[in-house]
Amino acid sequence: IAVLVLAFLVFGVPRIRARSSVRSAGDELFEADDRRDAAAMRRAADAAAADARWNEAIAERFRAIARSLHERTLVATLPGSTAHDVARRAAVPLPEHAASLVHAAHEFDAVRYLGDPGDRDRYRQIVALDLEVQRTRPQLTPGDAPPLDREPFARVEP
């Protein structure tokens, strides 16, 4: 019994925590150490497409859209953000692209987590959306901030 208790204390608790943190991190749009800008992600997507690696190309191009929205300060991509989080938040400043962004988030999930191989046509749709989003002027009012699900800091009124 003492050996079992000792083994549980030494090996059981850390492994349970490690597995649960991996599961929650699996749905994230970006890896924790991914610091590339949108242009680098677009280049990676185009390189994958040139080699007919459609699942990688689609995932990278959606990441480029999300990173571009973040760089334009339209959407804050917080740690743990998912493709659907980004699509939902991007609908506020870009309402004309809301449905297309949700569809693109579904495509991202399909190729990233469901084993879908993707294809050229679906990649071209994501590329077209990326170009449209880049050209679209956001609908913001003065003082708007990137939409967040939660405020990281309390708001102080002057």
Side-chain angles (χ1 to χ4, degrees):
I1 293 175
V3 171
L4 289 175
V5 170
L6 181 62
F8 176 75
L9 290 174
V10 173
F11 298 108
V13 175
R15 284 193 162 178
I16 291 170
R17 287 186 188 146
R19 270 191 232 122
S20 66
S21 67
V22 168
R23 270 190 222 118
S24 66
D27 292 337
E28 293 180 13
L29 181 60
F30 300 110
E31 302 295 327
D33 59 349
D34 192 348
R35 304 284 184 232
R36 296 174 297 162
D37 63 2
M41 291 176 180
R42 287 184 187 103
R43 287 190 300 274
D46 290 342
D51 291 338
R53 295 187 324 265
W54 302 116
N55 58 343
E56 183 182 341
I58 290 168
E60 286 296 319
R61 198 63 181 222
F62 186 84
R63 286 185 181 116
I65 292 170
R67 186 59 53 103
S68 174
L69 292 168
H70 181 83
E71 290 169 357
R72 292 171 64 189
T73 66
L74 297 177
V75 173
T77 51
L78 304 170
S81 291
T82 66
H84 289 278
D85 291 335
V86 170
R88 185 175 34 78
R89 286 189 242 131
V92 174
L94 304 170
E96 65 272 28
H97 298 300
S100 297
L101 287 163
V102 168
H103 178 73
H106 286 299
E107 294 289 350
F108 176 86
D109 285 349
V111 300
R112 179 82 169 125
Y113 305 114
L114 302 178
D116 189 322
D119 60 47
R120 179 189 318 263
D121 291 335
R122 289 161 56 199
Y123 176 68
R124 286 181 177 165
Q125 288 176 347
I126 303 281
V127 169
L129 174 62
D130 186 16
L131 295 173
E132 289 174 22
V133 166
Q134 289 177 61
R135 287 190 298 262
T136 301
R137 186 174 181 160
Q139 295 182 14
L140 298 175
T141 58
D144 275 352
L148 299 173
D149 289 338
R150 59 190 181 277
E151 290 189 350
F153 306 104
R155 209 177 268 209
V156 178
E157 297 296 324

